[in-house]
């Protein structure tokens, strides 16, 4: 029994420390794939399609400055100030969920990056708990500039398109360094539903989101992310 307990403790400690070790490696080494990309490939295979995804890693310095600003304006305007979690948004989400049957999200960009890297695309409190644990490690191990860099390189922008490099080239026929503010806002606008929304040919709903994001980008200002992106 003591041996079983000892091995159980070793396994528990290994599982607890594994996210921190992986994230320490991924601070300096670009992740070769993500859980969400793996899931997307599996879905394509299950549907009898080729498991081809389009993604190419680029340093954040080669991405137009409007792109990180656009995703922050769209997804997480408190990003420069919080420590992985937006507690006010979480409280509102919990209150909304308590009143109804559907789960409302309140994920920061850090949480979304943790989810994309390691977790499955389902909504449950168990998965959110694991996501929160990985987010704590990510906040401890990564600077915010690395969170943005990884997010922009692994986020899904289309049915087979992951990362801003391939999104910029396939939707706008240009490298990510040459994206305009409108194009950055267009890519950010499809993030809630990248397999349903089209950045290059936006529907009326997506077009209204693009306009709103551009307005938020103006309100935040071009220098809003300087504190996390510039040394």
């Amino acid at each position: 029994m003591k041996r079983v307990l000892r091995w159980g403790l070793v396994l528990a400690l290994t599982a607890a420390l594994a996210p921190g070790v992986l994230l320490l490696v991924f601070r300096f080494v670009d992740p070769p794939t993500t859980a969400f990309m793996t899931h997307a490939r599996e879905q394509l295979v299950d549907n009898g399609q080729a498991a081809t995804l389009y993604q190419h890693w680029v340093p954040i310095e080669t991405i137009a400055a409007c792109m990180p600003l656009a995703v922050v304006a769209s997804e997480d305007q408190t990003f420069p100030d919080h420590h992985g979690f937006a507690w006010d948004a979480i409280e509102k989400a919990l209150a909304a969920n308590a009143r109804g049957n559907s789960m409302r999200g309140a994920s920061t960009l850090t949480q979304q990056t943790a989810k994309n890297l390691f977790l499955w695309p389902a909504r449950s409190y168990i998965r959110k708990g694991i996501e929160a644990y990985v987010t704590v490690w990510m906040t401890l191990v990564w600077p915010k500039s690395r969170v943005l860099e990884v997010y922009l390189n692994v986020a899904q922008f289309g049915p087979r398109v992951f990362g801003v490099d391939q999104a910029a080239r396939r939707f706008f026929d240009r490298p990510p360094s040459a994206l305009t503010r409108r194009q950055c806002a267009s890519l950010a606008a499809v993030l809630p539903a990248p397999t349903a929304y089209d950045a290059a040919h936006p529907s009326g709903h997506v077009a209204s989101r693009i306009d709103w994001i551009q307005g938020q980008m103006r309100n935040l200002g071009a220098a809003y992310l300087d504190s996390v992106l510039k040394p």
Side-chain angles (χ1 to χ4, degrees):
M1 181 59 69
K2 289 183 179 180
R3 181 176 296 178
V4 171
L5 290 174
R6 185 164 56 248
W7 278 107
L9 180 60
V10 169
L11 289 174
L13 286 174
T14 301
L17 294 174
V21 173
L22 280 173
L23 287 169
L24 182 59
V25 172
F26 289 156
R27 175 172 177 171
F28 306 101
V29 178
D30 300 332
T33 188
T34 70
F36 263 55
M37 290 183 202
T38 300
H39 177 76
R41 290 190 186 95
E42 290 174 351
Q43 282 192 315
L44 290 169
V45 172
D46 290 344
N47 293 330
Q49 300 174 276
T52 303
L53 301 180
Y54 304 102
Q55 190 262 354
H56 179 260
W57 199 278
V58 289
I60 197 167
E61 295 81 10
T62 65
I63 300 172
C66 59
M67 193 65 235
L69 180 62
V71 298
V72 166
S74 173
E75 301 290 302
D76 181 7
Q77 294 189 13
T78 63
F79 180 77
D81 303 314
H82 66 62
H83 298 285
F85 304 94
W87 295 111
D88 288 345
I90 290 172
E91 289 178 6
K92 292 177 182 177
L94 289 173
N97 294 337
R99 292 192 297 268
N101 296 322
S102 62
M103 291 187 65
R104 173 182 169 182
S107 294
T108 63
L109 286 178
T110 313
Q111 289 173 272
Q112 292 182 45
T113 305
K115 175 188 66 179
N116 288 342
L117 278 177
F118 297 116
L119 298 171
W120 59 96
R123 305 192 74 172
S124 71
Y125 286 113
I126 293 175
R127 201 219 65 184
K128 291 295 288 186
I130 299 172
E131 175 189 300
Y133 182 69
V134 176
T135 299
V136 170
W137 273 111
M138 187 173 289
T139 303
L140 291 171
V141 174
W142 287 6
K144 286 183 178 286
S145 58
R146 183 58 172 170
V147 176
L148 278 174
E149 181 175 54
V150 174
Y151 180 86
L152 290 170
N153 275 286
V154 304
Q156 186 172 10
F157 291 97
R160 293 174 179 265
V161 181
F162 289 80
V164 67
D165 176 78
Q166 289 299 292
R169 295 179 189 279
R170 292 180 178 277
F171 296 138
F172 302 117
D173 194 27
R174 61 182 58 200
S177 60
L179 287 167
T180 67
R181 287 176 68 87
R182 177 92 183 163
Q183 290 166 344
C184 288
S186 298
L187 292 177
V190 306
L191 289 170
T195 60
Y197 297 162
D198 189 332
H201 305 95
S203 63
H205 171 68
V206 175
S208 67
R209 277 187 54 79
I210 294 169
D211 291 339
W212 180 83
I213 291 169
Q214 284 194 284
Q216 296 301 302
M217 292 167 69
R218 287 192 294 271
N219 292 340
L220 294 176
Y224 186 65
L225 295 177
D226 283 0
S227 63
V228 300
L229 290 179
K230 293 186 178 180

